[in-house]
Amino acid sequence: MNKLPLTLLAVAFGSLLLSGCDKPAPAAHQPAQYNLVQLEDPNEDIKVYTIPQDTAILDEPNAEQIFYGKRLLNETKRLLPDHVGAAMNCNSCHIAQGKIPLGDPYINSYNFYPRVMPRAGKEVNLVQRINGCFQRSMNGKPLPPESEEMQAMIAYMKWLSQNVPKEQLVDIRNAGAVDESLVADPVRGEQIYYAQCATCHGDNGEGIKDSRGDIVFPPLWGDESFNIGAGLARTYKAASFVKYNMPMGIQVKGLWGHGNVLSDQDAVDVSEFFAHKPRPDFPGKVNDWPTMPKPKDARY
Ligand code: HEC
Ligand code: HEC
């Protein structure tokens, strides 16, 4: 059979499945490509960015460092137990090793920082941004900026940015939109949780570990989850993650694992339910949002 019509069909079918999403999906066998935009002028397309395959790391002079960074992001709890309080790896939230738009990707992280962040009320560099996730999302302790581990994680993010010039960004979004005017209904959220989430995340939000104690499904609340200072402890931030990435494995449109099964209301309700369950405190919360009012969904 002639190959061309098949390919066209695959592409057409792919975009049909994803209609309503941010970007048309590439056929599964093609590497995903995205346009670049100038930071100063987001409308000006410069050239195309292709999400690299991990095998391409071998071509880099610092391949060993990049592979170490990749491992640390995937197996953070096991490799850095003194710095991680939660039963969480970085890639428990940064889906598919930070390569998926709307799944908290690291694709633009190397170029995006340093930048003034509303929560900090001052300029934050990439080391501080990563340590913010260590202290809040991982309920743990920061890494020394010059440590081998911190530098390896940054090397992975730099590699992922594929030499995009420092003043440019890839034209993707880190999180999808949800309607923030929706009022959350935690009772409905609890029903959704037990119907759609509990099989993996547990009846008590505790997640599932394998027989060696390694994380299979990360916890959504309790002592081993992210603390109240994490972005995901906020209903609408959590909803924009959940809507586009969860429930993992159940798919009606788009690529496997890309979510988009829940409506905005479903995502807001289930997020309100789990975000407000008991979780560790974050002592540093007193310093947050020094220059502006707290967002309406902050836990403190
Ligand atoms: C519980 C979920 C969770 C975990 C675990 C987590 N993060 Fe994050 N991280 C987030 C969220 C959510 C954001 C985006 C927050 C926002 O919207 O400002 C983020 C943002 C980031 C960013 C900035 C991304 C960008 O381009 O702006 C980096 C870099 C990052 N995290 C690195 C890490 C590293 C490294 C770890 C492990 C030490 C980690 N994260 C663990 C949820 C998490
Ligand atoms: C088939 C299993 C499965 C189901 C069902 C599922 N998840 Fe997840 N979830 C995962 C996995 C796996 C991860 C970690 C990401 C990874 O490893 O790629 C995750 C990560 C998360 C995270 C970020 C990490 C954390 O622990 O906070 C949140 C939040 C989350 N899921 C919420 C939900 C919600 C809400 C539902 C129901 C609507 C749901 N999940 C259903 C498998 C699942």
Side-chain angles (χ1 to χ4, degrees):
M1 199 191 195
N2 186 341
K3 263 189 182 162
L4 189 64
L6 245 188
T7 317
L8 282 177
L9 191 71
V11 171
F13 189 57
S15 11
L16 193 71
L17 281 176
L18 265 172
S19 56
C21 278
D22 213 12
K23 288 271 162 194
H29 58 280
Q30 288 173 341
Q33 291 195 328
Y34 299 91
N35 293 330
L36 294 186
V37 291
Q38 196 83 20
L39 261 181
E40 304 303 321
D41 175 8
N43 296 317
E44 192 191 336
D45 283 351
I46 308 293
K47 57 174 186 162
V48 159
Y49 167 89
T50 306
I51 296 178
Q53 305 280 328
D54 283 0
T55 45
I57 296 174
L58 289 167
D59 302 333
E60 301 294 327
N62 61 338
E64 210 173 310
Q65 186 190 31
I66 300 170
F67 275 123
Y68 184 45
K70 167 182 142 96
R71 255 194 93 198
L72 287 166
L73 294 164
N74 278 323
E75 305 168 55
T76 328
K77 177 72 178 169
R78 189 142 64 89
L79 299 178
L80 298 173
D82 295 343
H83 293 269
V84 180
M88 206 78 84
N89 298 312
C90 302
N91 292 347
S92 298
C93 300
H94 297 279
I95 302 298
Q97 305 188 133
K99 290 179 171 187
I100 300 281
L102 309 188
D104 285 333
Y106 308 123
I107 291 169
N108 280 320
S109 302
Y110 187 75
N111 280 6
F112 195 63
Y113 297 90
R115 129 167 335 240
V116 176
M117 302 294 287
R119 189 173 62 192
K122 57 178 191 237
E123 193 171 89
V124 170
N125 63 27
L126 185 54
V127 165
Q128 292 163 324
R129 188 70 188 83
I130 290 173
N131 276 336
C133 274
F134 266 109
Q135 289 168 280
R136 298 161 186 264
S137 293
M138 312 285 273
N139 191 36
K141 298 197 188 84
L143 279 176
E146 296 310 322
S147 61
E148 201 189 329
E149 291 80 10
M150 175 62 79
Q151 292 306 315
M153 289 194 264
I154 291 177
Y156 173 83
M157 293 175 195
K158 179 167 194 255
W159 166 76
L160 192 58
S161 80
Q162 293 286 294
N163 299 319
V164 168
K166 187 69 190 167
E167 69 288 357
Q168 291 177 25
L169 290 179
V170 181
D171 188 13
I172 52 157
R173 281 185 294 151
N174 285 359
V178 288
D179 181 353
E180 298 204 4
S181 70
L182 293 172
V183 178
D185 176 350
V187 175
R188 207 176 155 263
E190 179 169 12
Q191 291 160 356
I192 296 169
Y193 181 81
Y194 287 102
Q196 305 240 37
C197 320
T199 18
C200 295
H201 291 290
D203 283 349
N204 296 305
E206 74 281 22
I208 294 178
K209 292 182 189 151
D210 65 17
S211 56
R212 293 190 307 182
D214 287 333
I215 301 151
V216 180
F217 300 119
L220 295 196
W221 69 85
D223 293 346
E224 294 207 290
S225 190
F226 51 85
N227 67 38
I228 63 163
L232 286 191
R234 292 172 45 192
T235 299
Y236 297 94
K237 265 204 183 291
S240 63
F241 172 82
V242 166
K243 175 165 177 186
Y244 297 92
N245 299 284
M246 295 292 145
M248 206 157 250
I250 302 164
Q251 221 54 63
V252 293
K253 353 176 210 188
L255 300 179
W256 193 91
H258 268 205
N260 232 341
V261 174
L262 306 175
S263 67
D264 280 22
Q265 187 73 56
D266 295 341
V268 167
D269 292 350
V270 74
S271 298
E272 174 84 2
F273 169 72
F274 76 78
H276 286 81
K277 285 284 193 180
R279 57 182 68 261
D281 192 17
F282 176 59
K285 66 188 175 192
V286 292
N287 302 321
D288 286 351
W289 295 290
T291 56
M292 59 186 290
K294 291 169 191 169
K296 64 170 178 178
D297 59 352
R299 281 284 309 268
Y300 45 89

